[in-house]
Amino acid sequence: MSVDGRNLSDGTEDTFQADRTRTSSDDAALWRRFRGIAGEDARVSTLQKLKLTGHGPDTFSLHLENLLPPDDRRGEALMRDVWRIGQQRIVLQPGQSPWSIEMPSRHFADRVHRFGWIADVMAQGEAGTARAIALVDDWVAKFGKFHGFAWRLEPTASRCWNWLRCGPDLLEAGDEAARHARIDALARQLRYIQETITSAHDPKSRWLGAVVLVAKSLCLRAGAGLGEALDRLEAETTAQILPDGGHVSRSPAHVLASLIHLQTLSRALDKAGRPQPDWMEKWIPRLGAMLAFFQTGDGALNTFNDGDESRAEVVSAALARLPAPPRKFMFAPKSGFQKVEKGSIRLVLDCGEAPPRPFGDHARAGALGFELSDGTARIVTSCGFSPEVNVDWQAAVRRTSAHSTLILAGRDSAAFELNDATRLRALIGPEGIAAKRLEEANEIWLDAQHAGYKAAYGLLHRRRIFVSGEGDRLTGEDSLVRPVAQAEAEEKKPIPFDIRFHLHPTVTAMMGKDAIRLMLDNGHVWRFRTSHEGARLERTVYLARGIVEQPEQIVLSGFADPNGDGSQPPNCVRWAFIRES
């Protein structure tokens, strides 16, 4: 299996080695290709530099509460001076900072400069706090005035937010000179964000920038400029959060991040004695309901679009802070997802089209892909996503073959087109995607289709899924249908297709004579059966736990009749997941 030029067969380890030995010029080319304009070094004119100069306030008017539970595993590793991001790893000398040596890649450096790790280090007791302060002070000395790579808008906003959520233990510690240098560097970066945010094309930069400008007003300016900052954030919320509470990117992880940002600011407004804006009171419960929609049995999240599993304790912390229990629903019409829950079985089906530009710059061509779990155990997923793994892997898993769905003739179900404004490849389509739901006698049918292959091959992909009332059997049917109104194809040559079911890394799969046995990490055993000949197991990849893992996938391959009506083989493939008693 190949995804965007990355070998996902049994030889994947060779590709991992290539990642580690990549030359700096190769790394720079990949960075430019997969980060576009947002990855370019920041530039400021002499006049802009003058605007950035000046001192910050003598003290803070308020400190944010950190709502995120620490990642102790990461904190402990960093205290041992082991820095690992995705597949890349460096080991430092005691007291050494990561930017004092050449880092493995631009991606590695980008993640380091965001300081998403700082609170995890501070959670390691007094030694951790001292180490965090020393790293921030060293960064301020080296990069605090300006640095083209480190001061790009999104990582700058992320860094400011991560510093602010560490509170007085980080920002007001130490002697007066160090404290003022820290505050001055923070204030300078916030002024830079204020100056550049209106020209940003990247939605993540605009969102994070709007969030930290509200925090700036509350924490450093005693509320000065708060109205303008809240208006900006309200505008971004309206643009980026859908009416059903989903994020416009269709990413569960973005729902979680957006909710935590708004919850943190809501708490800060309360501490400052400021009224809660009506729009914030409206959106927080909606985001919370959508977060609960995507929460799996293990407490973490589904991995649709550019979303990782996310830590279960972070998801639980966000849900626990909701003003009321989240509203439950099974269909998210604006976000384009259907959910089925029966007994311990849980299925979420992707039946939505790509978001509009520029929100489609990181979307994935996974139409009619699904994720399946049994209680706390995940079974079927996609190749997943993580912001930790290198940028070419992030791009590779956008392709249709990285999802648990049908792919025809090796083509993606939606088109990737260059977005000139961002220089990234935005996803467009697929056309005609829709899903119907039928519930009868405690049993559920989902009937979905898309026309992503109609223009090229005249065929619709239709997927029907049936879930038994006991939740111990999921039956599916994938068909390729030539519409009645469509003229008969002149080319009679059969068209190759693959149906893929990517298995989670916690699943152990074994080929049997008439079925594939799936052993889950909760002790349950399922069987995958199909009437289609030639079912096989292949290696795939999984990114959503922050590294590139190599689980297995079930693959059904065949050749479709270009004039078939989808009622029988080869254009109709039936399959089932059955739990053993």
Side-chain angles (χ1 to χ4, degrees):
M1 172 185 172
S2 177
V3 178
D4 198 35
R6 305 307 304 265
N7 178 22
L8 304 188
S9 65
D10 291 343
T12 311
E13 182 61 27
D14 295 335
T15 309
F16 294 168
Q17 294 294 339
D19 284 348
R20 298 187 186 112
T21 58
R22 185 177 289 149
T23 67
S24 58
S25 59
D26 290 340
D27 178 65
L30 285 171
W31 181 260
R32 287 193 300 271
R33 178 182 175 189
F34 295 123
R35 279 295 172 261
I37 290 176
E40 292 180 351
D41 284 6
R43 294 178 176 84
V44 293
S45 65
T46 303
L47 178 60
Q48 286 175 315
K49 285 185 178 179
L50 289 173
K51 289 182 178 181
L52 299 181
T53 57
H55 296 291
D58 293 331
T59 188
F60 287 83
S61 51
L62 180 76
H63 283 289
L64 300 180
E65 287 185 20
N66 182 20
L67 305 186
L68 294 178
D71 185 341
D72 288 327
R73 291 180 62 184
R74 178 162 68 173
E76 290 166 3
L78 294 176
M79 290 299 291
R80 298 193 305 270
D81 294 301
V82 177
W83 293 70
R84 179 169 185 168
I85 295 173
Q87 295 300 106
Q88 296 174 320
R89 177 176 177 268
I90 60 174
V91 180
L92 304 176
Q93 297 299 315
Q96 190 178 23
S97 61
W99 41 80
S100 64
I101 65 172
E102 183 179 357
M103 287 189 253
S105 66
R106 291 181 183 235
H107 170 71
F108 193 102
D110 174 74
R111 303 305 297 175
V112 169
H113 281 294
R114 291 168 185 264
F115 279 77
W117 44 266
I118 189 73
D120 302 325
V121 175
M122 292 193 69
Q124 303 304 306
E126 292 183 3
T129 299
R131 177 71 170 134
I133 292 169
L135 285 167
V136 169
D137 287 347
D138 188 62
W139 189 94
V140 168
K142 291 181 171 64
F143 305 102
K145 295 294 176 63
F146 183 77
H147 184 270
F149 183 81
W151 279 56
R152 290 169 297 115
L153 182 53
E154 188 198 346
T156 299
S158 181
R159 179 170 56 250
C160 290
W161 179 258
N162 288 322
W163 287 7
L164 284 166
R165 67 186 179 91
C166 288
D169 291 343
L170 172 69
L171 297 171
E172 298 199 76
D175 60 49
E176 185 176 357
R179 186 170 65 252
H180 279 298
R182 232 173 278 137
I183 297 175
D184 288 349
L186 176 61
R188 189 176 299 113
Q189 293 172 82
L190 291 169
R191 284 194 288 271
Y192 170 76
I193 293 169
Q194 188 98 47
E195 285 290 318
T196 57
I197 189 172
T198 54
S199 60
H201 294 288
D202 175 31
K204 293 181 182 178
S205 299
R206 293 204 311 268
W207 173 268
L208 274 171
V211 166
V212 298
L213 290 179
V214 174
K216 170 190 175 183
S217 172
L218 291 170
C219 298
L220 278 78
R221 302 189 65 204
L226 180 60
E228 180 183 351
L230 284 172
D231 287 345
R232 182 187 295 277
L233 182 55
E234 181 186 10
E236 288 302 326
T237 304
T238 302
Q240 300 201 30
I241 308 301
L242 299 168
D244 59 14
H247 192 272
V248 68
S249 66
R250 306 183 65 244
S251 164
H254 289 341
V255 173
L256 173 61
S258 301
L259 176 59
I260 290 174
H261 289 146
L262 294 187
Q263 287 177 325
T264 304
L265 295 179
S266 172
R267 177 61 183 143
L269 287 166
D270 288 342
K271 288 175 64 177
R274 302 274 178 170
Q276 198 85 200
D278 292 341
W279 60 268
M280 197 175 284
E281 292 181 336
K282 178 183 77 171
W283 286 113
I284 286 176
R286 293 189 187 185
L287 283 163
M290 185 56 76
L291 183 66
F293 179 93
F294 285 125
Q295 187 181 33
T296 61
D298 59 10
L301 295 179
N302 291 121
T303 63
F304 296 103
N305 290 296
D306 56 333
D308 56 8
E309 287 188 10
S310 300
R311 290 187 294 130
E313 58 268 32
V314 176
V315 179
S316 296
L319 292 173
R321 295 191 68 91
L322 293 175
R327 178 176 63 90
K328 293 185 178 181
F329 53 93
M330 293 292 127
F331 175 40
K334 298 298 182 182
S335 296
F337 291 97
Q338 288 270 6
K339 183 165 75 169
V340 175
E341 290 182 329
K342 283 293 178 184
S344 63
I345 196 173
R346 178 183 178 278
L347 176 139
V348 180
L349 175 72
D350 182 348
C351 51
E353 63 182 344
R357 294 183 183 181
F359 303 106
D361 284 351
H362 300 283
R364 297 165 68 177
L368 305 192
F370 67 87
E371 297 194 12
L372 173 68
S373 58
D374 176 11
T376 59
R378 297 177 187 239
I379 307 174
V380 177
T381 179
S382 65
C383 286
F385 172 91
S386 172
E388 296 292 296
V389 302
N390 217 331
V391 292
D392 48 345
W393 277 114
Q394 293 179 21
V397 295
R398 298 180 67 193
R399 310 297 297 271
T400 300
S401 55
H403 298 81
S404 293
T405 188
L406 179 145
I407 179 169
L408 186 62
R411 293 173 64 115
D412 295 308
S413 60
F416 290 93
E417 296 182 2
L418 183 66
N419 181 351
D420 292 329
T422 61
R423 290 215 309 271
L424 296 174
R425 301 194 73 81
L427 189 69
I428 310 296
E431 295 181 0
I433 188 165
K436 296 184 294 185
R437 183 188 191 99
L438 175 64
E439 299 191 35
E440 184 176 322
N442 201 34
E443 296 175 333
I444 299 175
W445 286 89
L446 295 180
D447 190 343
Q449 69 176 32
H450 72 78
Y453 299 119
K454 184 180 177 183
Y457 301 104
L459 295 173
L460 306 178
H461 173 208
R462 186 179 187 186
R463 168 164 275 182
R464 290 190 276 193
I465 295 175
F466 165 77
V467 179
S468 68
E470 293 76 23
D472 59 359
R473 183 184 183 96
L474 182 147
T475 305
E477 177 185 283
D478 284 292
S479 55
L480 289 163
V481 183
R482 191 167 196 89
V484 175
Q486 188 97 352
E488 186 172 301
E490 295 181 5
E491 176 60 66
K492 310 296 185 184
K493 184 178 179 181
I495 308 168
F497 67 83
D498 294 303
I499 304 170
R500 301 183 182 275
F501 302 93
H502 295 268
L503 302 176
H504 193 263
T506 55
V507 177
T508 300
M510 294 182 62
M511 287 292 302
K513 184 177 181 181
D514 59 354
I516 298 175
R517 295 188 81 228
L518 308 174
M519 282 76 80
L520 313 187
D521 63 349
N522 64 358
H524 293 180
V525 178
W526 287 71
R527 285 176 291 137
F528 175 85
R529 304 191 67 173
T530 178
S531 59
H532 187 76
E533 293 184 2
R536 65 188 188 277
L537 289 172
E538 288 185 356
R539 285 288 182 185
T540 182
V541 298
Y542 189 71
L543 313 186
R545 301 199 293 186
I547 58 174
V548 183
E549 300 177 84
Q550 300 179 69
E552 292 184 289
Q553 61 176 321
I554 300 169
V555 184
L556 310 178
S557 297
F559 291 87
D561 178 354
N563 290 306
D565 63 2
S567 63
Q568 57 188 1
N571 286 41
C572 178
V573 177
R574 296 182 177 90
W575 45 266
F577 289 87
I578 306 162
R579 183 166 56 206
E580 292 186 359
S581 58

